[in-house]
Amino acid sequence: MIIKDSKFIKSTTKAKDFPKEGLKEVAIVGRSNVGKSSIINSLLNKKKIAKVSSTPGKTRTINFFLINNSVYLVDFPGYGYAKISKEERNSWKFMMDSYFLDRKELKKVILLIDSRHKPFESDLLMCDWIKYMNYNLSIIATKSDKLKYSEIKRNEKIFKDSFEVDDMLFYSVLKNSNREKLSEFIFSGI
Ligand SMILES: Nc1nc2c(ncn2[C@@H]2O[C@H](COP(=O)(O)OP(=O)(O)OP(=O)(O)O)[C@@H](O)[C@H]2O)c(=O)[nH]1
Ligand SMILES: [Mg+2]
């Protein structure tokens, strides 16, 4: 898909505020700090459309971005952040459930994982949860600028085996050179 137009529509934590036009949606999920908001900025070629921070826990709401007036890209708060209270964890889970448990508009989930690390238990759980709900799932391994080509190849095999997902892309927002490929990857099949 060629992105001609993109705009931020809304941030919310409540199901009653989710868009109601019935447009297709693609969700971006992953651990805190893995690079969800950064990859949205890179994809849309806008430096600050999604808020980025080097401190985990930057995104606290569900954020809807409208692409070409036809598809919503949805940015979520991350998980796996250690310094979080029980109440915050519960409210995160409540927010995730309110969106994911019955979202007909959701055509695909993109799970972001850190290309440098072995799969985290929380990532494997998220992967299982998405599959259990029967959503289409693809994986993007972020921050690939930190790895050598041989390390990418090695980790790709580990990730494909652990997550049992074939559809996988390594990406770096610093290199930013594969934006067309990223767009194709994110929106294919929806
Ligand atoms: N080297 C490198 N750093 C990256 C890349 N993508 C993101 N980062 C950095 O990772 C940090 C976290 O990025 P965010 O996009 O805010 O991460 P997030 O997943 O949205 O985090 P939460 O909103 O807390 O869930 C920032 O310091 C980014 O600059 C990448 O491809 N390469
Ligand atoms: Mg974020």
Side-chain angles (χ1 to χ4, degrees):
M1 187 165 91
I2 296 167
I3 298 175
K4 298 192 188 113
D5 177 68
S6 63
K7 40 188 176 281
F8 168 72
I9 300 295
K10 64 164 85 178
S11 283
T12 180
T13 57
K14 305 230 162 41
K16 68 173 178 51
D17 298 326
F18 297 161
K20 295 181 181 66
E21 312 98 285
L23 295 178
K24 291 175 182 176
E25 293 174 357
V26 177
I28 311 277
V29 299
R31 286 169 61 83
S32 271
N33 218 37
V34 71
K36 299 177 291 300
S37 301
S38 301
I39 218 164
I40 290 175
N41 289 337
S42 174
L43 174 74
L44 305 182
N45 208 13
K46 292 185 176 169
K47 285 202 172 71
K48 292 180 180 165
I49 194 166
K51 289 187 195 116
V52 168
S53 167
S54 54
T55 316
K58 178 70 181 172
T59 306
R60 296 292 180 138
T61 52
I62 303 178
N63 303 301
F64 291 87
F65 301 88
L66 183 59
I67 318 298
N68 293 352
N69 287 313
S70 61
V71 185
Y72 277 108
L73 197 61
V74 194
D75 185 21
F76 286 86
Y79 50 81
Y81 173 43
K83 285 185 199 148
I84 186 173
S85 67
K86 205 171 169 188
E87 290 85 78
E88 280 176 303
R89 199 183 318 249
N90 286 342
S91 72
W92 176 85
K93 185 75 176 90
F94 185 82
M95 198 193 322
M96 297 302 276
D97 282 350
S98 71
Y99 179 86
F100 282 97
L101 289 184
D102 182 30
R103 191 67 184 163
K104 310 257 178 321
E105 292 85 344
L106 182 57
K107 301 301 170 200
K108 190 169 178 179
V109 182
I110 312 285
L111 172 62
L112 266 54
I113 59 173
D114 192 315
S115 62
R116 296 167 294 180
H117 303 298
K118 276 193 307 208
F120 289 92
E121 190 61 35
S122 53
D123 289 332
L124 293 165
L125 280 170
M126 179 53 94
C127 177
D128 285 348
W129 191 54
I130 297 162
K131 286 181 184 169
Y132 172 76
M133 292 180 294
N134 273 320
Y135 293 120
N136 293 317
L137 171 67
S138 298
I139 291 185
I140 297 180
T142 62
K143 312 190 186 184
S144 64
D145 50 282
K146 307 263 192 189
L147 294 184
K148 295 196 218 101
Y149 182 74
S150 58
E151 294 170 320
I152 290 180
K153 286 289 141 201
R154 185 197 62 200
N155 287 0
E156 183 175 18
K157 180 162 180 4
I158 295 173
F159 296 149
K160 283 187 171 170
D161 289 348
S162 318
F163 291 100
E164 297 178 7
V165 169
D166 281 332
D167 204 25
M168 165 151 216
L169 179 78
F170 279 72
Y171 193 76
S172 161
V173 303
L174 299 188
K175 298 199 172 158
N176 224 358
S177 52
N178 295 344
R179 278 188 53 241
E180 285 77 21
K181 203 171 166 191
L182 176 68
S183 170
E184 187 55 40
F185 184 85
I186 289 180
F187 296 110
S188 68
I190 68 160

